[in-house]
Amino acid sequence: MAPVELDSPLHPTRDFWLSCGHHLVDRDAARRLHVTDEFLKVHLARPELMPSAQSCSAERRLHDGLLSNPRQSVPCSRVLAILDSDARENWEILIAWRDHLLRHDTLEAAYLEIARGAFKPPSVFIDQIVHLILRNILDGCDDAFILRAAEMFFRPQELAWHDRSLVAKDLEKGAVGGSQHLSPLISLLDLQGGREVDVLNEANAGGYWARSDSFDTALDLTLGQRGLAAVGEVVARWISHFFALDVAVQLLTKPSDVKWSWYIGLDSEATRIGDAIWNGDEMDAETRTRLVGVYQLIFANPAEMIAKVRGEPVYLLMAMMPDGTLRLKPQNLMTGLPIPHLGIAN
């Protein structure tokens, strides 16, 4: 079936995350994303790839050629002909990324290969594709807390205690002008923002959509507030989209009583803590303060699990680093679930 546009009249809801480029890709009947020429061309607007007055003729020809036909074959000789070594390296990275996307039918399939370690692009490209896939998954979502929680899956966070509340703020909020992690669409669409950071609450949640590309709202991750539960909802929707699995993700308020039959760290620090618990180590007080959330994931159909843990809950851990940063790794969900196959559901 032919792809349909993401901004279909069937979805007359408020738009958000314009900077991910979701209007530049196609979506098929199974809600999988397909690369378009327009999406590929946006990469050519990245500042490290835009020709400058000092660029050589070989680089200019390559840039112009890809603007004309972004899918054209690029032999190594065309890149090697670029005189500037930094520019040459940037183009090698871009062409490898483009070729990886074009080798797969969907962006989801391309991401799964990254999660499996078959291809290792720069983190900026991984964050970009997660951003885009989540925009598709959450199309039509009218809950600002879920959308803000989803930002944590592709943008590093800085966590800090304020008045007994654990608040997550975008780590790069203060560096909007020069961050290499920004989508080129932020500059092209003039979406830099510039507001002060506000903690999301029921009173200001309605304003999220207008400022979503500024990433300037903070999320309260204190037990009893909506932030942690919203993270669990994003996890459930992510798993459903990729694997067509019906799961419930519940936040635990007393994780000390759980039986660690199977666990997944949602970030590197959480994985380290989970491994220590699995090996029988006791958590000290300082480590406990960094364990931001523990979730119980339940399969609606236990038969979809591997026999070893069939019917048992899966535990998800989320933890901040000693410096207070949190970098979620949704790829851990792609490879860590106790299911007999890890292919994308049709």
Side-chain angles (χ1 to χ4, degrees):
M1 182 175 291
V4 296
E5 295 296 330
L6 272 174
D7 54 348
S8 165
L10 296 177
H11 300 282
T13 54
R14 291 173 288 186
D15 209 346
F16 61 99
W17 297 351
L18 296 176
S19 59
C20 73
H22 77 99
H23 291 294
L24 303 177
V25 296
D26 291 330
R27 180 174 60 188
D28 61 26
R31 301 182 63 85
R32 306 294 180 212
L33 298 177
H34 297 260
V35 170
T36 64
D37 287 359
E38 291 72 21
F39 179 72
L40 293 175
K41 289 179 182 180
V42 166
H43 291 77
L44 301 174
R46 297 195 64 86
E48 61 268 28
L49 294 172
M50 287 290 291
S52 66
Q54 292 74 38
S55 297
C56 67
S57 59
E59 183 178 2
R60 291 179 178 277
R61 285 195 299 270
L62 178 57
H63 191 271
D64 291 344
L66 287 173
L67 277 177
S68 175
N69 178 12
R71 297 173 188 259
Q72 67 179 259
S73 175
V74 179
C76 294
S77 57
R78 290 190 66 182
V79 178
L80 291 175
I82 297 174
L83 298 179
D84 184 84
S85 59
D86 290 336
R88 191 163 58 244
E89 181 180 7
N90 289 336
W91 279 104
E92 288 172 346
I93 292 171
L94 185 278
I95 297 301
W97 173 243
R98 183 207 64 164
D99 291 348
H100 176 73
L101 296 181
L102 294 180
R103 279 194 297 270
H104 297 84
D105 291 336
T106 66
L107 287 175
E108 286 85 354
Y111 177 74
L112 183 58
E113 286 299 293
I114 294 170
R116 289 171 169 166
F119 179 67
K120 296 182 179 180
S123 60
V124 59
F125 289 136
I126 300 176
D127 292 339
Q128 177 195 35
I129 198 172
V130 172
H131 189 180
L132 186 51
I133 291 171
L134 277 170
R135 175 58 184 83
N136 180 40
I137 292 173
L138 298 172
D139 190 40
C141 177
D142 60 0
D143 189 325
F145 290 90
I146 291 176
L147 299 181
R148 176 56 184 87
E151 291 180 20
M152 298 170 60
F153 285 63
F154 56 88
R155 293 184 70 89
Q157 304 291 304
E158 179 183 17
L159 275 58
W161 288 95
H162 295 287
D163 298 328
R164 298 184 179 180
S165 295
L166 184 61
V167 176
K169 168 188 170 184
D170 193 279
L171 184 63
E172 297 178 1
K173 171 60 178 67
V176 171
S179 170
Q180 64 173 337
H181 297 291
L182 294 178
S183 161
L185 285 174
I186 285 193
S187 297
L188 293 175
L189 299 175
D190 191 24
L191 296 171
Q192 287 93 337
R195 305 187 188 190
E196 294 297 322
V197 172
D198 296 320
V199 178
L200 192 66
N201 56 46
E202 296 293 346
N204 63 24
Y208 175 85
W209 283 261
R211 62 195 294 185
S212 65
D213 283 287
S214 297
F215 304 106
D216 59 357
T217 55
L219 187 65
D220 192 339
L221 298 178
T222 313
L223 281 174
Q225 301 301 315
R226 293 200 52 198
L228 285 176
V231 172
E233 176 62 26
V234 177
V235 169
R237 295 192 187 199
W238 178 267
I239 292 171
S240 175
H241 178 74
F242 274 97
F243 303 117
L245 295 172
D246 184 7
V247 298
V249 180
Q250 303 169 346
L251 178 67
L252 298 180
T253 58
K254 295 182 179 180
S256 58
D257 300 330
V258 303
K259 175 186 175 184
W260 299 97
S261 54
W262 195 280
Y263 65 94
I264 301 172
L266 297 179
D267 56 88
S268 59
E269 181 65 8
T271 298
R272 187 194 67 78
I273 293 174
D275 291 345
I277 295 173
W278 180 266
N279 291 322
D281 297 342
E282 292 290 334
M283 280 193 296
D284 56 32
E286 195 272 337
T287 300
R288 287 182 184 277
T289 63
R290 287 191 279 109
L291 194 58
V292 177
V294 178
Y295 300 86
Q296 182 175 261
L297 185 151
I298 303 294
F299 282 72
N301 180 9
E304 294 171 330
M305 304 174 70
I306 60 174
K308 179 181 177 181
V309 292
R310 186 164 296 154
E312 295 287 338
V314 175
Y315 295 99
L316 311 177
L317 291 79
M318 182 170 66
M320 59 179 164
M321 299 292 289
D323 64 359
T325 57
L326 173 62
R327 292 174 171 83
L328 293 186
K329 299 174 66 176
Q331 57 265 38
N332 290 0
L333 291 167
M334 311 300 295
T335 58
L337 290 172
I339 55 180
H341 64 85
L342 285 171
I344 295 176
N346 295 322

